[in-house]
Amino acid sequence: MADDDRPEDPGVGRRGLVSWLACGGAAALGVALGAPAVVFVTSPLRDAKTGGARWIKTIPESALAANAARKVTIVGEERDAWTVRKDVELGSVWLVRRQGAVVAFSAVCPHLGCAVAHEAGPSPGSLDGARFACPCHTSAFDMDGKRREGPAPRGLDELATKIEGGFVWVDFRRFRIGVTEKAELG
Amino acid sequence: MSLRARIDALADFVETRTGAKRLLSHALDEPIAGGARWAYVFGSMLTAVFGLQAVTGLLLMSAYSPSTQTAWASVHHVTYVTQGGWLVRGLHHFGAQAMIVLLGMHLFQVALFGAYKRPREVNWWFGLLLLGATLAFSLTGYLLPWDQKGYWATRVATNIAGTIPVVGASQQALIQGGSDYSSLTLTRFYALHVGVLPAALIGALVAHIALFRKHGVTPPHGADLTRKDLFFPRQLWKDVQAAIVVFGVIVYFAFRHHGAPLDAPADPASDYPARPEWYFLSLFELLKYFHGPLELLGTVVLPGLAGAYLFLLPLLDRKESLRARDRVLPLLPLFGLGVAVVVLTVMALRHDARDEKFQAARRRADLSAAKALALAAKGIPPEGPLAMMKADPEVLGEALFTKHCQGCHVLGDLGSREEASAPVLDGWGSEAWVLSMLDDPDHDARFGRTPYKGMMPSMTRCKPDDASCKPMKPEDARSVAAFLAAGADDGAPPPTDAVRRDAARVRSGEAIVKTRCTTCHLYKGEGDDGGEGTAPELSGWGSRAWIRAQVMNPASKATYREKALAPGMKKYMPAFEGELKPAEADVLAAWVHQRARR
């Protein structure tokens, strides 16, 4: 406190230096607080992708008629922020059986995320004329998931399937909405 | 137009429309009579740390969820999952403590310099209001993580509010949102902490600073008043340096604690060694000296008198002089108060440091906290962190043992050796336990305090008058121990120095058990030629299944027999079939099995 006892007579240089130090110090403090704040707020941008296969058991293979589509619910473990719930309905997928093979499509319309519906064709037991249609913005897809009409930027997202123990298993994933490429969400 | 001219034009544009430059000049060109001083940094520090609290508090609000199921879980998520979350929470936690320290310093500086005197009395009162608001912030914020520490400390505070005559019960119900703690307590405390108190504090702070600007600083007695500084840059530079130090200290503590401590989830059924945060320890200590009807003296009257004194100080000290020497009398209580706070705080810390029971309880609480963090890392169920803890076999096992078994048995630090009326279970199922049983079954730690005392003779020593007695050879005793302990292992690998690692010894132990021990004991249902019906079954002895059978019904013949529950067997072990659910019995048996051989 020695300098407090002297009357102040700072030269222009000293006053300038002290001004710079005061402003610089205050700015440094702002950055020191701002940096962790920015890291904290933007942490969702750096969340680790879940990645890896996520096989979920659905219906018995025998419950799926030939040349037909069926919507099945995906039940699994959900991580909601800090909570982990078991046996929660995570979403649904369309299963299509064609010539013996089972194909799965995400029921989420790649346009803006509405749930797509199935419209059967004129003749029962045949996929001819059948299609998937979005109830929101008139996007429609054929039974291979290819886009037929409407504003959707890509076809329906196909999911991997396998048959094990007589049941259909689906590798359930979510994808970015509204873009041309099929990009998985974390 | 040159760049400089363009900048000037832009500055003029902004200035004529907003007056920002004039406002900034008004803020920075505050005249400081007597010059800039280190003594003036505390007020600025407090404003700066409040800014830190506001920023980190807003960030925490974006990630916190006030309910009994989610509060702890969301704070855990912030501290251990969200990037940078630990640091943000640490800055907020230790920033709050820095505010308390700085408030004390600011108050003493202002009092010492006589800055509360005419015409600054009202500003002193605004300062006291800010002090109260800050303490209310601390109290409400402490509860929000809903961990053991915050829960129990805050319960004590709200219960004190409930002891106040006439208004106590309604006051407590208003604070808590009901007659007991619940999610409504959290939402109310949260609303106070992030809405009401910030509004109150900012309002009082604006008035405080406005009045400070109106009257200016109070230079100490004898200061050279011819000297004049402006706030910028000399005082600001001092303030910034002090802020860097304070911020450094806060960051240091935040790094040291990986943010801030998080105790186990609040558990109303637990016995927790509750202590308030360190700055309330003096009040806590004070409560120990006022009993019964005098309690109000410690909880309300003395703190109230201290508050009243601080409020009246500007009216008590009305002399013109700023010299501390001339104001000894009015300032004496303030220093007395300071000394009392320090002394009581040190006493509280010393009592706890020397209190072994408290230290043991604190260690148990720390173990519980570590357990909670480990479990939460795997995800918290929708029922909340407490349900997560209670369902954990280790926690549940200990809770069941505490509830049903420790009244008679001793295991680890559970139960009392002085009051035990059943065997000490430490090491139960081990070779050493069997050996000690063969040698002295009536030892106090074995069956000496039970109705079975005197029923089993020592196998290795003979009574002097017993001519027919043939003591068991030490080698044979070790073989028996090896065989029985092998059965008790229940699949767990035996310790490296165990005799039972030698299969031949186990077989020879089995042969001895089948011939010699079955004169009283059962082995696979066979034995007990004497028909006494008291010695237990030895096959599977010490295994989880054996423990479970014994706990559910000690007279089922799977362990002990009908005699186990005979009226003559005073203080026998009861059957817990009716009290324990089957799943609980599984957990308890597994816990005892594992804990006994720890």
Side-chain angles (χ1 to χ4, degrees), chain B residues 18 30 71 78 111 129 169 186 190 261 288 291 316 339 396 515 573 580 586:
Chain B
T18 65
E30 167 205 352
V78 165
L129 205 62
L186 271 175
Y190 188 53
K288 295 183 188 167
H291 300 247
L316 295 173
V339 170
L396 179 59
T515 51
M573 171 157 169
L580 285 171
D586 292 340

Side-chain angles (χ1 to χ4, degrees), chain A residues 55-71:
Chain A
W55 290 103
I56 301 218
K57 187 177 172 181
T58 62
I59 54 171
E61 193 191 3
S62 55
L64 199 56
N67 295 326
R70 181 166 167 187
K71 194 176 185 178

Side-chain angles (χ1 to χ4, degrees), chain A residues 3 9 19-20 38-39 79 96-97 105 110 119 125 134 149 157 159 170:
Chain A
D3 62 337
D9 182 26
S19 304
W20 278 109
V38 169
V39 170
R79 204 168 245 278
V96 180
R97 179 176 220 149
F105 295 108
E119 288 170 4
C134 180
E149 53 192 66
D157 298 313
L159 301 166
V170 176

